[in-house]
Amino acid sequence: AVHSSCNHESVSMEGYRQEIPRLLGRKPNFGAIHFVQLLERYITEGKIRIPKLYAAATYHAPCELTRLGGVTDEPRRVQGSFIEHLIEPEESGRIARCCGAGGLLKATNGAISGDLAEKRFTMLNSTGPELILSPCPSCDQNLEEASSRFSDSKPVQDLAEVVAHQTSGMRFLFSSWALLDVVHDTTFDGSGACHTTDWMDWQYHRNDLFKRW
């Protein structure tokens, strides 16, 4: 399967995958999913256990992932598996208000994008959370920029960053741009833990890992 933490990539790739039979005359041998879907699967299958986070968090649902991709329950199940208190904001799920980052709006009309981000951040911040979470790097960036204009703002973090912090020392390495799965019990140095967060180092170790596997 192809998996990504970019909502546009995962939704678009799945759309392309469904068009392959018409374009090429054969069925594709791969699927395309967002990293929260893969993470939810790992949690369900018992492949990963995320230590409890004793905090209150609210969740911003990205437009493309939720409305186009139909991924609404998986992120909540992931967060519910380890976050003590998950608060639903006003206008959530499929009717979640846009943060203004998508659809090239931020690049073509920064003023409208910023205004939308402030309105959405106000909704999220008003729930009284300790963390504001989203599994979309673009949403994270726009909401974080909006938060800087408020004196009582709570931190905005990517869901992958929180999972990375909670699972530090395990043999799963996450970043806000990719989810990397170490196969079975094979690790970089045989000790059961990943010892690098540098992308180039990871590429080197990944290639070595796949050769040995």
Side-chain angles (χ1 to χ4, degrees):
V2 177
H3 45 80
S4 170
S5 64
C6 173
N7 305 294
H8 178 73
E9 285 179 3
S10 59
V11 172
S12 297
M13 185 65 72
E14 178 60 17
Y16 297 150
R17 190 187 71 83
Q18 294 176 13
E19 286 294 306
I20 286 177
R22 183 179 65 83
L23 296 173
L24 302 181
R26 59 184 175 85
K27 292 183 178 180
N29 60 355
F30 68 92
I33 59 176
H34 190 270
F35 95 92
V36 292
Q37 295 172 285
L38 183 62
L39 183 55
E40 193 260 347
R41 183 188 302 172
Y42 280 178
I43 292 171
T44 301
E45 295 174 353
K47 292 182 178 179
I48 181 173
R49 184 185 65 81
I50 307 173
K52 196 77 172 180
L53 175 62
Y54 295 97
T58 192
Y59 171 67
H60 169 69
C63 292
E64 286 185 296
L65 183 67
T66 305
R67 285 191 272 271
L68 292 180
V71 180
T72 57
D73 297 330
E74 293 91 331
R76 288 169 173 79
R77 285 197 287 266
V78 168
Q79 294 169 91
S81 72
F82 75 98
I83 296 175
E84 183 181 36
H85 186 36
L86 189 60
I87 310 167
E88 281 290 342
E90 183 183 356
E91 296 185 18
S92 62
R94 286 185 176 272
I95 62 167
R97 179 173 295 208
C98 178
C99 74
L104 292 178
L105 181 62
K106 189 174 178 64
T108 57
N109 197 320
I112 293 179
S113 175
D115 185 56
L116 288 172
E118 286 189 13
K119 285 181 169 62
R120 184 55 175 163
F121 180 81
T122 298
M123 284 183 175
L124 298 166
N125 203 45
S126 66
T127 63
E130 295 169 73
L131 285 172
I132 296 172
L133 301 176
S134 181
C136 171
S138 297
C139 294
D140 297 335
Q141 182 184 35
N142 219 32
L143 290 171
E144 188 172 11
E145 289 177 4
S147 73
S148 67
R149 298 188 281 275
F150 292 79
S151 59
D152 61 341
S153 64
K154 299 301 186 293
V156 178
Q157 285 192 279
D158 195 292
L159 178 57
E161 293 177 315
V162 176
V163 171
H165 181 269
Q166 292 301 108
T167 58
S168 58
M170 297 179 68
R171 64 177 182 272
F172 292 89
L173 176 65
F174 295 85
S175 77
S176 59
W177 295 101
L179 180 148
L180 311 171
D181 175 25
V182 181
V183 184
H184 300 302
D185 292 324
T186 309
T187 55
F188 298 153
D189 62 358
S191 68
C194 299
H195 293 291
T196 177
T197 56
D198 181 81
W199 179 249
M200 293 306 293
D201 283 347
W202 157 250
Q203 292 281 55
Y204 171 81
H205 287 296
R206 183 197 67 173
N207 293 337
D208 181 61
L209 171 65
F210 286 169
K211 287 177 183 176
R212 289 187 282 117
W213 185 60

